[in-house]
Amino acid sequence: MSAATAEHPVVRVAVPQRSLASELRAVRIVWRRELIRYRTDRMRMITTLVQPLLFLFVLGAGLNRLSRAGTHGVDLTTFIYPGILAISVLFTAMFSAASIVWDREFGFLREMMVAPVRRSSIVIGKCLGGATVASIQGVIVICLAGAVNVPYNPVMIIEVFALQLLLAFSITAFGVMVAVRIKQMQSFMGVMQMIITPMFFISGALFPVSGLPTWLGVLNRFDPLAYAVDPMRRIVFSHLSLSPLARASLDSGITWFGWRVPTLVEAAAVVVLGLIMLAIAIVEFSTTD
Amino acid sequence: MAVEETHDGPATPAGPATPGGATAAPDGPATPTGTATPTGTATPTGTATPTGTATPTGMATPTGTATPTGTATPTDTSGAAPPSSRAGGGAAPAIEVRELVKSFGEVRAVRGVSFEVAIGEVFGFLGPNGAGKTTTINMLCTLTRPSAGEALVAGHDVVRERDDVRRNIGLVFQDPTVDGYLTAAQNLQLHAELYGVRSDLVRPRMRQVLEMVGLWERRGTAVSTFSGGMRRRLEIARGLMHSPRVLFLDEPTIGLDPQTRRSIWSYIRELKEQEEITIFMTTHYMDEAEWCDRIAIMDHGEIVALDSPEALKASVGTDRVTIQTDDNEAAIAALRSQFGLDAKLSEGAVTIAVAGGAQFVPHLFDEWDPSHPPIRGVSVSRPTLDDVFMSYTGTTIRDAEEDQSRHRNRVMMQMMGGGRR
């Protein structure tokens, strides 16, 4: 060993004490990594779009004739569209959360686990990254508005986008909460399918929530996704010219014991649920090795 | 020669002097074989002292070498000189481990190991798979909590000051942990951000470490296109990105081709020259262990020997004579009855440890009774670390690995049976 204490051209760096700034930096880089991965993974952009588009154009157009009697002149694709705005985010956010399981399988998670940062920074970065990626995907669906006779109204677009962002964040938090516990991709996908598909069907993305059989109506009110689909539909429909009858039967809204839940309360419910799940995810993530 | 104990921290009258390997090689740095044990918690920087980094060597028995803090009593060190030119950094060793234990249920993976690693040393952990090397390294890296005992890395306790330890260490794991979707540069960038490396230093440091491992030209390529050796090199570069004081390498060359293994070793040596970094590594390649300044031989969760490779080999004192015959059992019996030698069967050949092997062979042929199975081949080799391993554990490292898997099966059976007790 040489006496290498003298000046030499080695670039030395020092790792500072943990601070809020360093945590924010960690959040930002984890977030950025999600974006980089999304950008390089073109397949994912397409595959996660397939399902929502199938529902919108194939199911919507296919059932249009059948449903004409009940929609009071509104095209079924137009009716389904707000639901699709919500679920396009759902699938992408779920995929983002799945990356934690990938990271574990491929060992990369370990690199983040041993870093001198809080585990919460990693979870928050993940959730923000998932939310961003999902919202980008949501924007693609927003762009399709014209194809289903919805006008490109800037206010509507902003409102829809904001709601998508909240939903994407909550769903990613939910996905991360599940993913932290699961060690294998197959099981994660299985679990998510088991939870996501019923949530999607019950949410009212594909049918109006008024006049449902009692059991379905009850389930609908307990489905968190319903509180994202309902305001989404209200926002979109407020920019359509519809007959009062059509509005009443198609956009009846979720009611709690006869009280129609306002949009802001619904959005707040989505956020609060998301934050609770984020908190659980952080606790779980902090206690795993 | 004596080690000057000039640091501020209280040093100790060392634990029981341990025999074995009293001759350290003169070129092996920081391997005094005596018993001076500087303790003292991390002295603050400054106080440029000739560091008294004498560490107890020889048989680091798990029970011995307790180091109660006391007054400095430098005792004799008959080994090589510790490098005395290391200014700053304090006199505390890079790694200090006392009675470290890790149990998984009833299985005691690590059974009370104690050792110290001096600053700037390349320290190797050698042993068969399942000997407890990775468990020990995981405890030192704060990835696993010790069941008992204490360990200080870069002056910080691995349990109480996890974060401080993490900021000061670099890790290269046995399994790959780079992100294949990102480019080499993005992987390093991510690491730098997680460790809070100053933004304006990220780029120059990245260039430095990537050039060292020969990947600077490939920095913009996605890691998924890299070969196994390139990934490992990238991991080493990443582990160095934040200028750690101690770099942990868990089997850094496992599964790599000889050429890549050689180049990885040349980086490690270069590192030692340039960065004053302490390197702690595990390996089960005997030939690689030769490159370490000191090695600890681990078997069944215990350190059975600890010294410089040269000293360990010298301590064997015998050469290895290997004989091929058609009937090994008969040959072993013949060697015992006729020559009074204790021969063993290892890796399919009869092996004898004798002093002066080259002189022994003609003698053997002269005296070999025609009634014994004929000798088909013979080879004599100077002691290697494999012989060291054999002399301390009674088996070769490869045989030990086979045993280990058998032992594991047995433990599994016991555990399954024990569940119903």
Side-chain angles (χ1 to χ4, degrees), chain A residues 3-4 10-13 15-18 25 33 37 111 113-114, chain B residues 85 143 163 166-167 179 181 191 193 195 197 205 208 243 275-276:
Chain A
V10 174
V11 181
R12 266 180 187 291
V13 298
V15 179
Q17 289 286 339
R18 206 148 82 167
R25 240 178 123 183
R33 171 168 174 262
R37 287 189 66 156
E111 154 78 356
M113 299 292 250
V114 297
Chain B
S85 53
L143 284 171
D163 251 28
R166 286 180 181 184
R167 288 191 292 113
D179 187 346
Y181 285 87
H191 185 86
E193 299 284 336
Y195 282 76
V197 174
R205 178 70 185 166
Q208 173 128 34
S243 296
E275 308 236 340
E276 302 160 47

PDB file of all heavy atoms in Angstrom, chain A residues 3-4 10-13 15-18 25 33 37 111 113-114, chain B residues 85 143 163 166-167 179 181 191 193 195 197 205 208 243 275-276:
ATOM      1  N   ALA A   3       1.806   5.242   0.329  1.00  0.00           N
ATOM      2  CA  ALA A   3       1.375   6.307   1.210  1.00  0.00           C
ATOM      3  C   ALA A   3       0.564   7.296   0.396  1.00  0.00           C
ATOM      4  O   ALA A   3       1.063   8.306  -0.064  1.00  0.00           O
ATOM      5  CB  ALA A   3       2.586   6.996   1.840  1.00  0.00           C
ATOM      6  N   ALA A   4      -0.660   6.982   0.194  1.00  0.00           N
ATOM      7  CA  ALA A   4      -1.471   7.746  -0.749  1.00  0.00           C
ATOM      8  C   ALA A   4      -2.203   8.902  -0.090  1.00  0.00           C
ATOM      9  O   ALA A   4      -3.303   9.259  -0.459  1.00  0.00           O
ATOM     10  CB  ALA A   4      -2.456   6.830  -1.438  1.00  0.00           C
ATOM     11  N   VAL A  10      -7.632  11.727  -7.573  1.00  0.00           N
ATOM     12  CA  VAL A  10      -8.887  11.024  -7.333  1.00  0.00           C
ATOM     13  C   VAL A  10      -9.983  12.025  -6.970  1.00  0.00           C
ATOM     14  O   VAL A  10      -9.780  12.886  -6.125  1.00  0.00           O
ATOM     15  CB  VAL A  10      -8.714  10.010  -6.190  1.00  0.00           C
ATOM     16  CG1 VAL A  10     -10.048   9.387  -5.831  1.00  0.00           C
ATOM     17  CG2 VAL A  10      -7.712   8.967  -6.590  1.00  0.00           C
ATOM     18  N   VAL A  11     -11.098  11.910  -7.652  1.00  0.00           N
ATOM     19  CA  VAL A  11     -12.229  12.775  -7.304  1.00  0.00           C
ATOM     20  C   VAL A  11     -12.898  12.180  -6.082  1.00  0.00           C
ATOM     21  O   VAL A  11     -13.416  11.072  -6.116  1.00  0.00           O
ATOM     22  CB  VAL A  11     -13.240  12.858  -8.462  1.00  0.00           C
ATOM     23  CG1 VAL A  11     -14.384  13.768  -8.077  1.00  0.00           C
ATOM     24  CG2 VAL A  11     -12.568  13.324  -9.719  1.00  0.00           C
ATOM     25  N   ARG A  12     -12.855  12.909  -5.005  1.00  0.00           N
ATOM     26  CA  ARG A  12     -13.456  12.395  -3.785  1.00  0.00           C
ATOM     27  C   ARG A  12     -14.785  13.052  -3.547  1.00  0.00           C
ATOM     28  O   ARG A  12     -14.935  14.240  -3.746  1.00  0.00           O
ATOM     29  CB  ARG A  12     -12.548  12.730  -2.601  1.00  0.00           C
ATOM     30  CG  ARG A  12     -11.669  11.611  -2.347  1.00  0.00           C
ATOM     31  CD  ARG A  12     -10.768  11.885  -1.194  1.00  0.00           C
ATOM     32  NE  ARG A  12      -9.870  10.769  -1.194  1.00  0.00           N
ATOM     33  CZ  ARG A  12     -10.261   9.549  -0.889  1.00  0.00           C
ATOM     34  NH1 ARG A  12     -11.493   9.315  -0.523  1.00  0.00           N
ATOM     35  NH2 ARG A  12      -9.413   8.567  -0.946  1.00  0.00           N
ATOM     36  N   VAL A  13     -15.706  12.281  -3.114  1.00  0.00           N
ATOM     37  CA  VAL A  13     -16.992  12.857  -2.777  1.00  0.00           C
ATOM     38  C   VAL A  13     -17.277  12.496  -1.338  1.00  0.00           C
ATOM     39  O   VAL A  13     -16.639  11.629  -0.776  1.00  0.00           O
ATOM     40  CB  VAL A  13     -18.100  12.320  -3.695  1.00  0.00           C
ATOM     41  CG1 VAL A  13     -17.814  12.691  -5.120  1.00  0.00           C
ATOM     42  CG2 VAL A  13     -18.245  10.827  -3.568  1.00  0.00           C
ATOM     43  N   VAL A  15     -20.473  11.778   1.499  1.00  0.00           N
ATOM     44  CA  VAL A  15     -21.906  11.597   1.683  1.00  0.00           C
ATOM     45  C   VAL A  15     -22.335  12.387   2.899  1.00  0.00           C
ATOM     46  O   VAL A  15     -21.839  12.170   3.996  1.00  0.00           O
ATOM     47  CB  VAL A  15     -22.243  10.107   1.873  1.00  0.00           C
ATOM     48  CG1 VAL A  15     -23.731   9.919   2.079  1.00  0.00           C
ATOM     49  CG2 VAL A  15     -21.773   9.321   0.674  1.00  0.00           C
ATOM     50  N   PRO A  16     -23.214  13.354   2.704  1.00  0.00           N
ATOM     51  CA  PRO A  16     -23.596  14.218   3.823  1.00  0.00           C
ATOM     52  C   PRO A  16     -24.555  13.527   4.769  1.00  0.00           C
ATOM     53  O   PRO A  16     -25.095  12.471   4.470  1.00  0.00           O
ATOM     54  CB  PRO A  16     -24.290  15.382   3.122  1.00  0.00           C
ATOM     55  CG  PRO A  16     -24.864  14.779   1.885  1.00  0.00           C
ATOM     56  CD  PRO A  16     -23.947  13.663   1.485  1.00  0.00           C
ATOM     57  N   GLN A  17     -24.773  14.141   5.910  1.00  0.00           N
ATOM     58  CA  GLN A  17     -25.781  13.659   6.851  1.00  0.00           C
ATOM     59  C   GLN A  17     -27.152  13.734   6.190  1.00  0.00           C
ATOM     60  O   GLN A  17     -27.375  14.504   5.277  1.00  0.00           O
ATOM     61  CB  GLN A  17     -25.786  14.537   8.109  1.00  0.00           C
ATOM     62  CG  GLN A  17     -24.577  14.358   8.994  1.00  0.00           C
ATOM     63  CD  GLN A  17     -24.607  13.054   9.769  1.00  0.00           C
ATOM     64  OE1 GLN A  17     -25.662  12.478   9.956  1.00  0.00           O
ATOM     65  NE2 GLN A  17     -23.462  12.579  10.196  1.00  0.00           N
ATOM     66  N   ARG A  18     -28.044  12.920   6.704  1.00  0.00           N
ATOM     67  CA  ARG A  18     -29.388  12.894   6.145  1.00  0.00           C
ATOM     68  C   ARG A  18     -30.095  14.210   6.447  1.00  0.00           C
ATOM     69  O   ARG A  18     -30.013  14.732   7.547  1.00  0.00           O
ATOM     70  CB  ARG A  18     -30.152  11.754   6.808  1.00  0.00           C
ATOM     71  CG  ARG A  18     -31.248  11.223   5.982  1.00  0.00           C
ATOM     72  CD  ARG A  18     -31.403   9.775   6.273  1.00  0.00           C
ATOM     73  NE  ARG A  18     -32.187   9.564   7.485  1.00  0.00           N
ATOM     74  CZ  ARG A  18     -32.682   8.388   7.824  1.00  0.00           C
ATOM     75  NH1 ARG A  18     -32.477   7.353   7.066  1.00  0.00           N
ATOM     76  NH2 ARG A  18     -33.358   8.253   8.918  1.00  0.00           N
ATOM     77  N   ARG A  25     -34.239  14.755  -2.701  1.00  0.00           N
ATOM     78  CA  ARG A  25     -33.446  14.304  -3.838  1.00  0.00           C
ATOM     79  C   ARG A  25     -33.710  12.836  -4.126  1.00  0.00           C
ATOM     80  O   ARG A  25     -33.800  12.419  -5.280  1.00  0.00           O
ATOM     81  CB  ARG A  25     -31.967  14.491  -3.511  1.00  0.00           C
ATOM     82  CG  ARG A  25     -31.282  15.408  -4.479  1.00  0.00           C
ATOM     83  CD  ARG A  25     -29.861  15.570  -4.074  1.00  0.00           C
ATOM     84  NE  ARG A  25     -28.974  15.185  -5.153  1.00  0.00           N
ATOM     85  CZ  ARG A  25     -27.655  15.188  -5.026  1.00  0.00           C
ATOM     86  NH1 ARG A  25     -27.103  15.515  -3.877  1.00  0.00           N
ATOM     87  NH2 ARG A  25     -26.901  14.853  -6.034  1.00  0.00           N
ATOM     88  N   ARG A  33     -36.717   7.787 -12.150  1.00  0.00           N
ATOM     89  CA  ARG A  33     -36.427   6.449 -12.661  1.00  0.00           C
ATOM     90  C   ARG A  33     -37.686   5.827 -13.262  1.00  0.00           C
ATOM     91  O   ARG A  33     -37.631   5.180 -14.303  1.00  0.00           O
ATOM     92  CB  ARG A  33     -35.894   5.569 -11.526  1.00  0.00           C
ATOM     93  CG  ARG A  33     -35.784   4.124 -11.908  1.00  0.00           C
ATOM     94  CD  ARG A  33     -35.000   3.325 -10.901  1.00  0.00           C
ATOM     95  NE  ARG A  33     -35.038   1.918 -11.255  1.00  0.00           N
ATOM     96  CZ  ARG A  33     -35.879   1.037 -10.709  1.00  0.00           C
ATOM     97  NH1 ARG A  33     -36.735   1.425  -9.788  1.00  0.00           N
ATOM     98  NH2 ARG A  33     -35.853  -0.212 -11.094  1.00  0.00           N
ATOM     99  N   ARG A  37     -37.953   4.608 -17.092  1.00  0.00           N
ATOM    100  CA  ARG A  37     -38.355   3.239 -17.429  1.00  0.00           C
ATOM    101  C   ARG A  37     -39.578   3.236 -18.327  1.00  0.00           C
ATOM    102  O   ARG A  37     -39.689   2.437 -19.244  1.00  0.00           O
ATOM    103  CB  ARG A  37     -38.643   2.444 -16.154  1.00  0.00           C
ATOM    104  CG  ARG A  37     -37.390   2.095 -15.425  1.00  0.00           C
ATOM    105  CD  ARG A  37     -37.668   1.154 -14.309  1.00  0.00           C
ATOM    106  NE  ARG A  37     -38.115  -0.132 -14.812  1.00  0.00           N
ATOM    107  CZ  ARG A  37     -37.999  -1.259 -14.143  1.00  0.00           C
ATOM    108  NH1 ARG A  37     -37.451  -1.252 -12.965  1.00  0.00           N
ATOM    109  NH2 ARG A  37     -38.423  -2.378 -14.639  1.00  0.00           N
ATOM    110  N   GLU A 111     -30.563  -2.288  -3.801  1.00  0.00           N
ATOM    111  CA  GLU A 111     -29.766  -1.067  -3.961  1.00  0.00           C
ATOM    112  C   GLU A 111     -30.453   0.114  -3.276  1.00  0.00           C
ATOM    113  O   GLU A 111     -29.808   0.935  -2.640  1.00  0.00           O
ATOM    114  CB  GLU A 111     -29.564  -0.803  -5.470  1.00  0.00           C
ATOM    115  CG  GLU A 111     -29.335   0.646  -5.870  1.00  0.00           C
ATOM    116  CD  GLU A 111     -27.936   1.145  -5.613  1.00  0.00           C
ATOM    117  OE1 GLU A 111     -27.139   0.377  -5.041  1.00  0.00           O
ATOM    118  OE2 GLU A 111     -27.647   2.300  -5.973  1.00  0.00           O
ATOM    119  N   MET A 113     -32.769  -0.219  -0.853  1.00  0.00           N
ATOM    120  CA  MET A 113     -32.967  -0.504   0.566  1.00  0.00           C
ATOM    121  C   MET A 113     -31.737  -0.166   1.405  1.00  0.00           C
ATOM    122  O   MET A 113     -31.873   0.170   2.577  1.00  0.00           O
ATOM    123  CB  MET A 113     -33.288  -1.993   0.766  1.00  0.00           C
ATOM    124  CG  MET A 113     -34.532  -2.456   0.071  1.00  0.00           C
ATOM    125  SD  MET A 113     -36.002  -1.753   0.785  1.00  0.00           S
ATOM    126  CE  MET A 113     -36.704  -3.202   1.538  1.00  0.00           C
ATOM    127  N   VAL A 114     -30.542  -0.303   0.830  1.00  0.00           N
ATOM    128  CA  VAL A 114     -29.346  -0.062   1.636  1.00  0.00           C
ATOM    129  C   VAL A 114     -28.881   1.387   1.567  1.00  0.00           C
ATOM    130  O   VAL A 114     -27.942   1.756   2.241  1.00  0.00           O
ATOM    131  CB  VAL A 114     -28.165  -0.980   1.215  1.00  0.00           C
ATOM    132  CG1 VAL A 114     -28.512  -2.423   1.454  1.00  0.00           C
ATOM    133  CG2 VAL A 114     -27.772  -0.749  -0.221  1.00  0.00           C
TER     134      VAL A 114
ATOM    135  N   SER B  85       2.383   5.817   7.518  1.00  0.00           N
ATOM    136  CA  SER B  85       2.281   7.105   6.852  1.00  0.00           C
ATOM    137  C   SER B  85       0.839   7.546   6.680  1.00  0.00           C
ATOM    138  O   SER B  85       0.556   8.485   5.976  1.00  0.00           O
ATOM    139  CB  SER B  85       2.930   7.013   5.485  1.00  0.00           C
ATOM    140  OG  SER B  85       2.369   5.927   4.784  1.00  0.00           O
ATOM    141  N   LEU B 143     -27.497  -5.134   6.838  1.00  0.00           N
ATOM    142  CA  LEU B 143     -28.649  -5.759   6.181  1.00  0.00           C
ATOM    143  C   LEU B 143     -29.300  -6.800   7.085  1.00  0.00           C
ATOM    144  O   LEU B 143     -30.472  -7.094   6.945  1.00  0.00           O
ATOM    145  CB  LEU B 143     -28.224  -6.422   4.878  1.00  0.00           C
ATOM    146  CG  LEU B 143     -27.967  -5.457   3.731  1.00  0.00           C
ATOM    147  CD1 LEU B 143     -27.362  -6.171   2.565  1.00  0.00           C
ATOM    148  CD2 LEU B 143     -29.244  -4.759   3.327  1.00  0.00           C
ATOM    149  N   ASP B 163     -27.435   4.228   9.698  1.00  0.00           N
ATOM    150  CA  ASP B 163     -27.298   5.214   8.630  1.00  0.00           C
ATOM    151  C   ASP B 163     -25.861   5.661   8.438  1.00  0.00           C
ATOM    152  O   ASP B 163     -25.393   5.828   7.323  1.00  0.00           O
ATOM    153  CB  ASP B 163     -28.146   6.441   8.982  1.00  0.00           C
ATOM    154  CG  ASP B 163     -29.348   6.518   8.086  1.00  0.00           C
ATOM    155  OD1 ASP B 163     -29.793   5.453   7.617  1.00  0.00           O
ATOM    156  OD2 ASP B 163     -29.807   7.635   7.840  1.00  0.00           O
ATOM    157  N   ARG B 166     -24.020   3.044   6.674  1.00  0.00           N
ATOM    158  CA  ARG B 166     -24.385   2.977   5.257  1.00  0.00           C
ATOM    159  C   ARG B 166     -23.751   4.080   4.435  1.00  0.00           C
ATOM    160  O   ARG B 166     -23.430   3.896   3.270  1.00  0.00           O
ATOM    161  CB  ARG B 166     -25.899   3.046   5.111  1.00  0.00           C
ATOM    162  CG  ARG B 166     -26.526   1.745   5.525  1.00  0.00           C
ATOM    163  CD  ARG B 166     -28.002   1.794   5.401  1.00  0.00           C
ATOM    164  NE  ARG B 166     -28.568   0.521   5.836  1.00  0.00           N
ATOM    165  CZ  ARG B 166     -29.846   0.218   5.771  1.00  0.00           C
ATOM    166  NH1 ARG B 166     -30.696   1.090   5.289  1.00  0.00           N
ATOM    167  NH2 ARG B 166     -30.275  -0.938   6.180  1.00  0.00           N
ATOM    168  N   ARG B 167     -23.592   5.248   5.030  1.00  0.00           N
ATOM    169  CA  ARG B 167     -22.998   6.351   4.274  1.00  0.00           C
ATOM    170  C   ARG B 167     -21.524   6.090   3.992  1.00  0.00           C
ATOM    171  O   ARG B 167     -20.959   6.664   3.084  1.00  0.00           O
ATOM    172  CB  ARG B 167     -23.160   7.666   5.044  1.00  0.00           C
ATOM    173  CG  ARG B 167     -24.597   8.158   5.036  1.00  0.00           C
ATOM    174  CD  ARG B 167     -24.709   9.565   5.558  1.00  0.00           C
ATOM    175  NE  ARG B 167     -24.410   9.658   6.976  1.00  0.00           N
ATOM    176  CZ  ARG B 167     -23.354  10.293   7.456  1.00  0.00           C
ATOM    177  NH1 ARG B 167     -22.520  10.898   6.654  1.00  0.00           N
ATOM    178  NH2 ARG B 167     -23.130  10.306   8.752  1.00  0.00           N
ATOM    179  N   ASP B 179     -29.953  -1.826 -12.454  1.00  0.00           N
ATOM    180  CA  ASP B 179     -31.225  -1.752 -13.159  1.00  0.00           C
ATOM    181  C   ASP B 179     -30.973  -1.873 -14.654  1.00  0.00           C
ATOM    182  O   ASP B 179     -30.371  -0.984 -15.266  1.00  0.00           O
ATOM    183  CB  ASP B 179     -31.911  -0.420 -12.841  1.00  0.00           C
ATOM    184  CG  ASP B 179     -33.316  -0.366 -13.414  1.00  0.00           C
ATOM    185  OD1 ASP B 179     -33.646  -1.224 -14.267  1.00  0.00           O
ATOM    186  OD2 ASP B 179     -34.092   0.512 -13.009  1.00  0.00           O
ATOM    187  N   TYR B 181     -32.904  -1.621 -17.133  1.00  0.00           N
ATOM    188  CA  TYR B 181     -33.611  -0.686 -18.015  1.00  0.00           C
ATOM    189  C   TYR B 181     -32.828   0.612 -18.187  1.00  0.00           C
ATOM    190  O   TYR B 181     -32.991   1.322 -19.161  1.00  0.00           O
ATOM    191  CB  TYR B 181     -34.983  -0.331 -17.446  1.00  0.00           C
ATOM    192  CG  TYR B 181     -35.998  -1.424 -17.602  1.00  0.00           C
ATOM    193  CD1 TYR B 181     -36.117  -2.424 -16.657  1.00  0.00           C
ATOM    194  CD2 TYR B 181     -36.851  -1.444 -18.703  1.00  0.00           C
ATOM    195  CE1 TYR B 181     -37.059  -3.428 -16.795  1.00  0.00           C
ATOM    196  CE2 TYR B 181     -37.784  -2.440 -18.850  1.00  0.00           C
ATOM    197  CZ  TYR B 181     -37.889  -3.429 -17.892  1.00  0.00           C
ATOM    198  OH  TYR B 181     -38.814  -4.422 -18.035  1.00  0.00           O
ATOM    199  N   HIS B 191     -27.572   6.218  -8.040  1.00  0.00           N
ATOM    200  CA  HIS B 191     -26.853   5.916  -6.810  1.00  0.00           C
ATOM    201  C   HIS B 191     -26.351   7.205  -6.149  1.00  0.00           C
ATOM    202  O   HIS B 191     -26.507   7.402  -4.944  1.00  0.00           O
ATOM    203  CB  HIS B 191     -25.678   4.999  -7.137  1.00  0.00           C
ATOM    204  CG  HIS B 191     -24.945   4.522  -5.940  1.00  0.00           C
ATOM    205  ND1 HIS B 191     -25.323   3.412  -5.238  1.00  0.00           N
ATOM    206  CD2 HIS B 191     -23.858   5.021  -5.298  1.00  0.00           C
ATOM    207  CE1 HIS B 191     -24.498   3.244  -4.228  1.00  0.00           C
ATOM    208  NE2 HIS B 191     -23.601   4.200  -4.243  1.00  0.00           N
ATOM    209  N   GLU B 193     -27.514  10.172  -6.411  1.00  0.00           N
ATOM    210  CA  GLU B 193     -28.627  10.948  -5.852  1.00  0.00           C
ATOM    211  C   GLU B 193     -29.096  10.349  -4.532  1.00  0.00           C
ATOM    212  O   GLU B 193     -29.356  11.056  -3.574  1.00  0.00           O
ATOM    213  CB  GLU B 193     -29.798  10.978  -6.839  1.00  0.00           C
ATOM    214  CG  GLU B 193     -29.495  11.624  -8.172  1.00  0.00           C
ATOM    215  CD  GLU B 193     -29.436  13.137  -8.092  1.00  0.00           C
ATOM    216  OE1 GLU B 193     -30.047  13.706  -7.183  1.00  0.00           O
ATOM    217  OE2 GLU B 193     -28.751  13.738  -8.942  1.00  0.00           O
ATOM    218  N   TYR B 195     -27.385   8.726  -2.473  1.00  0.00           N
ATOM    219  CA  TYR B 195     -26.381   8.938  -1.423  1.00  0.00           C
ATOM    220  C   TYR B 195     -26.063  10.413  -1.221  1.00  0.00           C
ATOM    221  O   TYR B 195     -25.196  10.751  -0.444  1.00  0.00           O
ATOM    222  CB  TYR B 195     -25.102   8.154  -1.754  1.00  0.00           C
ATOM    223  CG  TYR B 195     -25.247   6.683  -1.431  1.00  0.00           C
ATOM    224  CD1 TYR B 195     -25.976   5.846  -2.257  1.00  0.00           C
ATOM    225  CD2 TYR B 195     -24.686   6.135  -0.288  1.00  0.00           C
ATOM    226  CE1 TYR B 195     -26.141   4.515  -1.959  1.00  0.00           C
ATOM    227  CE2 TYR B 195     -24.840   4.790   0.015  1.00  0.00           C
ATOM    228  CZ  TYR B 195     -25.568   3.990  -0.826  1.00  0.00           C
ATOM    229  OH  TYR B 195     -25.745   2.666  -0.529  1.00  0.00           O
ATOM    230  N   VAL B 197     -24.636  12.665  -3.167  1.00  0.00           N
ATOM    231  CA  VAL B 197     -23.349  13.170  -3.643  1.00  0.00           C
ATOM    232  C   VAL B 197     -23.559  14.554  -4.255  1.00  0.00           C
ATOM    233  O   VAL B 197     -24.534  14.782  -4.962  1.00  0.00           O
ATOM    234  CB  VAL B 197     -22.761  12.218  -4.701  1.00  0.00           C
ATOM    235  CG1 VAL B 197     -21.495  12.795  -5.306  1.00  0.00           C
ATOM    236  CG2 VAL B 197     -22.474  10.868  -4.083  1.00  0.00           C
ATOM    237  N   ARG B 205     -16.797  12.277 -10.801  1.00  0.00           N
ATOM    238  CA  ARG B 205     -16.623  11.028 -10.055  1.00  0.00           C
ATOM    239  C   ARG B 205     -17.089   9.843 -10.905  1.00  0.00           C
ATOM    240  O   ARG B 205     -16.466   8.784 -10.907  1.00  0.00           O
ATOM    241  CB  ARG B 205     -17.436  11.113  -8.757  1.00  0.00           C
ATOM    242  CG  ARG B 205     -17.379   9.867  -7.907  1.00  0.00           C
ATOM    243  CD  ARG B 205     -16.011   9.663  -7.282  1.00  0.00           C
ATOM    244  NE  ARG B 205     -15.927   8.393  -6.560  1.00  0.00           N
ATOM    245  CZ  ARG B 205     -14.791   7.845  -6.145  1.00  0.00           C
ATOM    246  NH1 ARG B 205     -13.647   8.440  -6.373  1.00  0.00           N
ATOM    247  NH2 ARG B 205     -14.800   6.704  -5.508  1.00  0.00           N
ATOM    248  N   GLN B 208     -14.481   8.983 -13.293  1.00  0.00           N
ATOM    249  CA  GLN B 208     -13.383   8.309 -12.620  1.00  0.00           C
ATOM    250  C   GLN B 208     -13.654   6.821 -12.409  1.00  0.00           C
ATOM    251  O   GLN B 208     -12.843   5.972 -12.778  1.00  0.00           O
ATOM    252  CB  GLN B 208     -13.170   8.981 -11.261  1.00  0.00           C
ATOM    253  CG  GLN B 208     -12.173   8.260 -10.407  1.00  0.00           C
ATOM    254  CD  GLN B 208     -11.117   9.189  -9.904  1.00  0.00           C
ATOM    255  OE1 GLN B 208     -11.388  10.361  -9.628  1.00  0.00           O
ATOM    256  NE2 GLN B 208      -9.915   8.712  -9.791  1.00  0.00           N
ATOM    257  N   SER B 243     -17.421   7.317  -2.801  1.00  0.00           N
ATOM    258  CA  SER B 243     -16.151   7.277  -2.059  1.00  0.00           C
ATOM    259  C   SER B 243     -16.299   6.641  -0.689  1.00  0.00           C
ATOM    260  O   SER B 243     -16.026   7.268   0.326  1.00  0.00           O
ATOM    261  CB  SER B 243     -15.570   8.682  -1.882  1.00  0.00           C
ATOM    262  OG  SER B 243     -15.253   9.232  -3.102  1.00  0.00           O
ATOM    263  N   GLU B 275      -7.264   4.918  -3.518  1.00  0.00           N
ATOM    264  CA  GLU B 275      -8.339   5.503  -2.734  1.00  0.00           C
ATOM    265  C   GLU B 275      -8.214   5.256  -1.240  1.00  0.00           C
ATOM    266  O   GLU B 275      -9.109   5.598  -0.496  1.00  0.00           O
ATOM    267  CB  GLU B 275      -9.680   4.974  -3.232  1.00  0.00           C
ATOM    268  CG  GLU B 275      -9.850   5.134  -4.718  1.00  0.00           C
ATOM    269  CD  GLU B 275     -11.094   5.912  -5.086  1.00  0.00           C
ATOM    270  OE1 GLU B 275     -11.995   5.996  -4.247  1.00  0.00           O
ATOM    271  OE2 GLU B 275     -11.145   6.422  -6.202  1.00  0.00           O
ATOM    272  N   GLU B 276      -7.166   4.616  -0.808  1.00  0.00           N
ATOM    273  CA  GLU B 276      -6.999   4.314   0.620  1.00  0.00           C
ATOM    274  C   GLU B 276      -8.253   3.665   1.170  1.00  0.00           C
ATOM    275  O   GLU B 276      -8.710   3.975   2.255  1.00  0.00           O
ATOM    276  CB  GLU B 276      -6.769   5.576   1.439  1.00  0.00           C
ATOM    277  CG  GLU B 276      -5.595   6.375   1.026  1.00  0.00           C
ATOM    278  CD  GLU B 276      -5.752   7.794   1.555  1.00  0.00           C
ATOM    279  OE1 GLU B 276      -6.083   7.931   2.743  1.00  0.00           O
ATOM    280  OE2 GLU B 276      -5.563   8.737   0.785  1.00  0.00           O
TER     281      GLU B 276
END
